[in-house]
Amino acid sequence: MKQINQIYINGEFVTPHGNEMMNLINPVTEQVAAQVRLADETDTRQAIAAAKAAYATFSRTSKAQRIQYLQQLHDAVLARADELEVVMSAEYGGSLAMVQGTVARSSGAFLQAIKLLNEYDFVRQIGRAKVVMEPLGVVGLITPWNANYGFICNKMATALAAGSTVVIKPSELSAGQTQLLTECLHAAGLPAGVFNIVTGRGDVVGAEMTRHPDIAKISFTGSTLVGKTIARDAVDTLKRVTLELGGKSPNILLPDADLAKAIPLALAVGTMNNGQACIAGTRLLVPQERLEEVKTQLLQAVANVKVGDPTQADTQIGPLVTAKQYARVQNYIRLGIEEGAELLCGGEGRPEGLDSGYFVKPTVFVNVTPDMTIAREEIFGPVLSVLTYCTVEEAVQMANNTVYGLQAYVSGENRQQAREVAAQIIAGRVFVNGMYDEPDAPFGGFKQSGLGREFGTYGLEAYLEPKTLIDDE
């Protein structure tokens, strides 16, 4: 059995002080694949001290120096892209397309940070005042398991571009991926202490980072419940926080939508990353008069989706990450049936032909009402809820009838109308007639989907603090 028994502090791989061992289960075979030794509060404090010591020098580096470091990080991650893909697929169960995209975005994050640095002015003149944008200090980065490489690299690249040093707490469920990525980052040859990676539990390592006075900011991606705890605990030391949290994203099909295009898109955005995506469009809002058409098209689309071995090129949906996550999704499917939603396809249990593994049938409920649990709560699995509306105004109201506001989708042939509807939706990002990649645009949520933004200039400035200097001339 593979043993993962090192963390990364002050430029070195070290054995954790913590001695708790955790088994990592392969989501396809349900067998133990590795065992990881988890870090504790002592390890966390050592990592913070290393980052604090490194900050004294790193915060004074020039743009050119940081650009060089970011280029070295990009090259080191890109050099082992194939290995990163294999490990992610085996440990997490993502489809090949999803895994390849994640790895590409991970190395690309450092190039995006270089682009930002080349364009960004850290010193500005405002009247008699000189305003200097300064790094915050030591930043704590807490990342989830559903795109491990991407979250680590994006947050780290932005923080380093700003001149901060970092302590990273990745999900313990991604320990194999983290080990390989850490080897890549180490090979980049950055000064000791600039980045530190401490794999442990959120209520141990994450909690210590949140309360520690030498951490200036927390950037967290994960559940809304945990995000609220971080925000609450960060108040004692007035930490800056960026929180990218949960979602229950609406997808409005306007009355004139071309279903031949809109339904495959709806299924893709509703089940992306095996359904384990905070941005998944899991509430499909359709005109009442077109419900029967939508049902027919959905049945055809789902019938063409392959669920199975994530290493196969034609697999679109792999397993969920853990037995706990599988049980959670099965419970939501049962709740949907109990609360009176009509099960169009899918349902409880594994897909036909899959006797083991955390595989879920792509499930679609129709005649869902806004008060049903499956219409309100984030399921984090390949489960789509179809709600109907009578007017476009009602559709917008239904779309906004949620505590979340992370992402949304609108499909319609009349582009002007689609854009007008998109403008009325309360969400951090709204896509019209597709899903597109714009890494310079801000990403984050309204309402209980989070605080602050990541990516581009907005993301960079979340790691900077303006200082005003005024003299007598």
Side-chain angles (χ1 to χ4, degrees), residues 341-392:
E342 177 188 338
L343 182 65
L344 181 68
C345 58
E348 292 184 68
R350 298 182 182 87
E352 186 177 349
L354 295 171
D355 299 324
S356 64
Y358 307 132
F359 297 98
V360 173
K361 298 174 185 176
T363 297
V364 179
F365 286 102
V366 296
N367 293 320
V368 177
T369 57
D371 60 309
M372 291 181 180
T373 303
I374 58 172
R376 293 184 292 105
E377 297 184 10
E378 186 176 40
I379 297 173
F380 236 56
V383 180
L384 196 62
S385 296
V386 179
L387 299 88
T388 59
Y389 65 86
C390 294
T391 66
V392 172

Side-chain angles (χ1 to χ4, degrees), residues 244 246-247 249-250 279 400 404-409 422 424-431 441-450 452-455 458:
E244 192 268 285
S249 299
I279 58 174
N400 292 334
Y404 298 110
L406 186 59
Q407 192 148 297
Y409 309 85
Q424 298 175 65
I425 297 177
I426 303 170
R429 279 190 177 186
V430 185
F431 291 87
F443 175 69
F446 285 56
K447 298 189 281 188
Q448 293 190 36
S449 284
R453 293 294 182 269
E454 297 187 274
F455 302 148
Y458 294 90

